[in-house]
Amino acid sequence: MARAIPLFPLGSVVLPGQTLSLHVFEDRYRDLVDYLLTLPAPERRFGIVSIREGYEVGESGVQSIHRVGVEVAITDVTGYDDGRYDLTVDAIGRIRLDAGVTGESFMWGHVEDLDEPVGKDVMMAADRAHAVFDAYRTELNRFRLDATVDELPGDPVDLSYLLASSAVLTLPDRQELLEADDAAERLRYYHHLMLSEISAMRAVPSLPAVDVARTSWSPN
């Protein structure tokens, strides 16, 4: 059943299990946080959807958004005298946007929670994803980088999201991983993407230092 939650369009794709820091300074998003802080702590949740066209800030703003995103829960908030906020949020699950509603300031959406099926031949897909992750990590080590993943989870759904969040990918690729019908499909697509990435890494003598995992990940 659809329910209404506030929406925070973002210029990146957030995956379930990730912990994200947000600096909130624009009026409409400050209004969103002001509203959420009137609610009991367990109810301080909103949806993050990636922007298809437009920008997070500025006069032109958001033109269109993707329909599949995540619901996040505020775990920490710091307010400043000028009205800005720093938030820490945990992505707790996928949502699908059925309809967007523009409020007085920030956007609301009618959303449905998405299930997390494992899919067909998921263990085979998980084994192949494990293997390509090890190969990817070997290539990163060659450039003195690391995927900053200590231990891979055994649950295939958690594994699919952790691997997806640990790789540097384009926004469309991350969105496709988020929208995958099940964990097996997500793991197979991750395997495909990493094979291409490894081939590219082996074709160049050096890579710039990058932060591979921009946000932390937790299955909780």
Side-chain angles (χ1 to χ4, degrees):
M1 180 179 295
R3 54 196 173 89
I5 61 173
L7 293 181
F8 194 124
L10 202 61
S12 58
V13 178
V14 180
L15 299 166
Q18 285 188 282
T19 296
L20 187 69
S21 297
L22 295 171
H23 180 62
V24 180
F25 60 91
E26 195 171 14
D27 287 345
R28 53 188 160 181
Y29 301 129
R30 285 158 54 169
D31 290 345
L32 184 153
V33 178
D34 287 342
Y35 163 74
L36 291 172
L37 292 181
T38 67
L39 304 177
E43 298 177 20
R44 294 173 184 172
R45 298 182 175 189
F46 58 96
I48 291 181
V49 288
S50 63
I51 298 170
R52 188 191 299 271
E53 293 180 277
Y55 304 93
E56 294 177 19
V57 298
E59 293 184 2
S60 58
V62 177
Q63 303 301 312
S64 66
I65 56 179
H66 289 277
R67 290 188 61 202
V68 176
V70 294
E71 184 176 13
V72 302
I74 296 177
T75 58
D76 188 62
V77 56
T78 301
Y80 299 96
D81 292 341
D82 61 3
R84 294 176 298 119
Y85 291 100
D86 283 330
L87 302 181
T88 302
V89 300
D90 288 342
I92 56 178
R94 292 191 304 165
I95 53 173
R96 181 178 60 230
L97 177 65
D98 290 339
V101 179
T102 302
E104 293 182 3
S105 175
F106 54 89
M107 182 184 296
W108 286 75
H110 294 288
V111 304
E112 293 186 14
D113 297 321
L114 292 179
D115 294 332
E116 294 291 357
V118 296
K120 185 178 179 181
D121 298 326
V122 68
M123 297 316 297
M124 181 184 299
D127 288 343
R128 296 182 70 192
H130 265 282
V132 80
F133 173 77
D134 289 340
Y136 177 56
R137 197 167 195 173
T138 297
E139 291 302 313
L140 287 176
N141 289 337
R142 189 162 63 87
F143 298 110
R144 298 183 180 180
L145 303 173
D146 194 8
T148 63
V149 175
D150 296 326
E151 184 177 354
L152 295 178
D155 179 85
V157 174
D158 290 345
L159 176 66
S160 71
Y161 285 126
L162 175 56
L163 292 178
S165 66
S166 70
V168 177
L169 300 170
T170 66
L171 189 150
D173 284 337
R174 287 176 69 87
Q175 185 67 33
E176 187 158 348
L177 287 166
L178 176 64
E179 294 185 9
D181 289 336
D182 52 54
E185 179 182 314
R186 188 173 301 109
L187 289 165
R188 284 191 287 267
Y189 188 53
Y190 168 83
H191 179 267
H192 166 74
L193 292 173
M194 288 301 99
L195 287 179
S196 298
E197 182 70 12
I198 290 168
S199 296
M201 293 169 74
R202 289 173 177 170
V204 296
S206 63
L207 288 177
V210 295
D211 183 7
V212 176
R214 294 182 178 85
T215 59
S216 60
W217 185 93
S218 169
N220 299 315

